[in-house]
Amino acid sequence: MLDLRMIRQNPDKVREALRKTGEDASLDVLLSLDEKRRSMLTEVEKLKAQRNEVSDQVADLRRNKQDAQPLIDEMKVVSQKIKDFDDELRDLDAEIMDILLRIPNMPHESVHEGTSEEDNKEIRRWGEQTEFSFQPLPHWELGTNLDILDFERASKVTGSRFNFLKGAGARLERALINFMLDLHSDEHGYTEVFPPFMVNKASATGTGQLPKFAEDMFKLEGLDYFLIPTAEVPVTNLYRDEILSMDDLPIYHVAYSACFRSEAGSHGRDTRGLVRTHQFNKVELVKFVAPENSYDELEKLTNDAEKVLQKLGLPYRVSQMCTADLGFTAAKKYDPEVWMPSYGRYVEISSCSNFEDFQARRANIRFRREKGSRPEFVHTLNGSGIAIGRCLAAILENYQQEDGSVIVPEVLRPYMGGLEKITSKK
RNA sequence: GGAGAGGUGACAGAGUGGCCGAAUGUGGCGGUCUCGAAAACCGUUGGGCGUGCAAACGUCCCGUGGGUUCAAAUCCCACCCUCUCCGCCA
């Protein structure tokens, strides 16, 4: 959420920033509602001041056993006026909030302008695109042949876009989760948290899923709970409505969670395999930092995510998102993308963003620089560190052998009971 | 699921209609004292919104949302959460 006062003071700057994102949020309605609200507020507060003063007089008269009835009668009228004003103000506030909650974040000045994902820029590349001396298979065929992946039965048991992992596949999934949690907590200084997989409305609003993207989440019947689309939601909301102290910052958290996405609007896209599913696992990195450090922290966060791919020996590149592909909440975003042979291109496997104070303002997460100073909003960041399902797919595809077996990357072997290669049992 | 108790400032804990944004204690901060520290003493110590260059002023906030009243932390209604006991359960 943007700061209403900032919008009021720099409407042209905000308009220009939003234009670059491709969203044409009209500020005119917002600004006129704001104007109206402030003038009403001034009036009603005058009335309240009067009421408070007269109430004191009434109290005095009563104590002195004098007649207060004329004053009371007079105040009845004033009170009714106040009530009318307050009702209207309540509606105004709700309208203003509804508009504010639907305005996207403004891109950081270092983000290049673009009109679609075509304009994203590759900023670095690591490793060589895997070459094969034979015809490589896509991971869904490899996994099915090895009997470690089962999509058919998953669609029987649940539906499309779900999967079963079996045997070494299930173990590999678990190995990846543990490897990443260990890496980030032991070597990168993140504190592990294990979050709830459902959140309430306030949390989903805090990180920006609501009100605009409700249809992307699974909602529980009869409850105001949502299945989380990412651990970002519960973990960022850990400190909602809190004032942290400067000594607490920066806070780094790493969290495993299952992620649930309705994938509304992506019918027909990536229908096979592990790339786009309704439920997948992910290890997520979340940071809470002082504003002046957030851009350095974004670089570090991205490096931490990349480290996972390097250790796994998976070729990747990092793209910087242009102004049109930042999504709703980010001010700046890097997407590490892994080389996926079956796609013949790099596929997003992480997404690292600085939200500045956009989420912090929604979720009311603040910090105090020193005792007695005014609270300020923290900056929040997060990034996948990394998506497990897509990572497992990338391993199967990049490490496949001519005989259909798959080499286990060395760093994962301790997590796999020493297994070096996944082979078919048949 | 049944029965009961309770949600007040950083924490503990008063406050049952007006002089209460809130006693008191602890903690924090500043000071006096001290070579220094402790103790003691003195002072200070919430947030949002609005007006204003600022100083300041106004207003709102005692779990949340409504309501009653000239006036609500205090009365009424709904909801949320916590705790205790019983039952059930991984």
Side-chain angles (χ1 to χ4, degrees), chain A residues 4 22-23 43-44 53 105 107 132 161-162 208 230 247 291 293 384:
Chain A
L4 182 54
E23 297 256 347
E43 274 191 68
V44 75
E53 196 181 322
N105 203 358
F132 298 94
R161 291 198 192 280
F162 285 88
T230 159
D247 301 335
N293 301 327
S384 350

Side-chain angles (χ1 to χ4, degrees), chain A residues 312-343:
Chain A
L312 290 171
L314 291 169
Y316 70 91
R317 68 174 188 183
V318 178
S319 288
Q320 180 178 351
M321 302 298 103
C322 70
T323 50
D325 206 20
L326 288 170
F328 183 67
T329 44
K332 185 170 187 173
K333 172 149 83 174
Y334 296 118
D335 278 7
E337 301 165 333
V338 72
W339 178 251
M340 196 72 83
S342 65
Y343 279 60

Side-chain angles (χ1 to χ4, degrees), chain A residues 14-179:
Chain A
V14 175
R15 256 188 277 263
E16 170 60 10
L18 295 184
R19 182 193 63 73
K20 290 184 190 168
T21 69
E23 297 256 347
D24 62 334
S26 166
L27 299 182
D28 298 337
V29 176
L30 176 68
L31 289 171
S32 76
L33 288 174
D34 172 52
E35 180 95 30
K36 189 173 173 193
R37 172 179 172 272
R38 282 180 298 135
S39 76
M40 286 189 68
L41 205 54
T42 308
E43 274 191 68
V44 75
E45 285 187 358
K46 269 187 216 156
L47 292 176
K48 284 180 178 175
Q50 184 191 353
R51 181 182 69 184
N52 288 341
E53 196 181 322
V54 173
S55 286
D56 283 348
Q57 293 172 14
V58 170
D60 278 341
L61 291 174
R62 281 271 174 96
R63 246 176 262 120
N64 299 323
K65 309 273 192 252
Q66 289 177 293
D67 181 22
Q69 202 52 45
L71 280 181
I72 289 173
D73 291 342
E74 192 187 325
M75 279 306 103
K76 269 187 187 173
V77 181
V78 174
S79 272
Q80 187 53 47
K81 262 197 216 168
I82 290 174
K83 192 165 289 180
D84 294 343
F85 268 110
D86 274 345
D87 285 347
E88 206 175 328
L89 271 170
R90 196 166 17 226
D91 291 347
L92 265 180
D93 281 338
E95 257 187 282
I96 288 169
M97 190 51 76
D98 189 63
I99 293 173
L100 273 178
L101 287 173
R102 290 167 190 275
I103 295 177
N105 203 358
M106 302 197 298
H108 185 249
E109 57 187 12
S110 66
V111 176
H112 63 285
E113 196 170 339
T115 55
S116 78
E117 60 177 12
E118 302 294 312
D119 298 318
N120 294 339
K121 264 198 291 211
E122 174 175 322
I123 56 172
R124 60 179 166 269
R125 205 179 266 228
W126 186 93
E128 300 292 324
Q129 296 174 4
T130 313
E131 306 257 359
F132 298 94
S133 58
F134 56 92
Q135 183 59 43
L137 297 176
H139 65 272
W140 53 90
E141 285 183 27
L142 277 164
T144 306
N145 294 344
L146 287 168
D147 197 27
I148 60 173
L149 268 175
D150 191 337
F151 295 99
E152 271 186 39
R153 288 196 178 97
S155 73
K156 171 182 70 180
V157 171
T158 305
S160 66
R161 291 198 192 280
F162 285 88
N163 63 82
F164 274 98
L165 289 155
K166 272 169 72 182
R171 181 98 188 241
L172 183 57
E173 181 91 355
R174 186 158 56 86
L176 282 166
I177 294 167
N178 286 329
F179 160 66

Side-chain angles (χ1 to χ4, degrees), chain A residues 1-3 6 13 17 104-111 206-207 232 236 249 286-298 301 326 328-333 352-367 376-382:
Chain A
M1 182 165 72
L2 301 180
D3 181 6
M6 188 274 293
K13 186 179 143 195
N105 203 358
M106 302 197 298
H108 185 249
E109 57 187 12
S110 66
V111 176
T207 31
E232 159 192 356
T236 303
L249 303 180
V286 178
K287 289 185 175 186
F288 304 83
V289 308
E292 59 272 24
N293 301 327
S294 67
Y295 281 93
D296 286 345
E297 294 282 3
L298 176 62
L301 177 79
L326 288 170
F328 183 67
T329 44
K332 185 170 187 173
K333 172 149 83 174
C352 303
S353 307
N354 183 1
F355 306 100
E356 298 192 358
D357 63 7
F358 189 83
Q359 293 181 324
R361 181 170 282 110
R362 288 174 161 251
N364 195 27
I365 307 168
R366 294 174 293 172
F367 77 106
E376 300 171 49
F377 289 110
V378 300
H379 280 193
T380 61
L381 301 92
N382 69 52

Side-chain angles (χ1 to χ4, degrees), chain A residues 398-409:
Chain A
N398 285 285
Y399 281 92
Q400 63 180 299
Q401 306 297 301
E402 189 159 15
D403 63 359
S405 64
V406 172
I407 304 278
V408 176

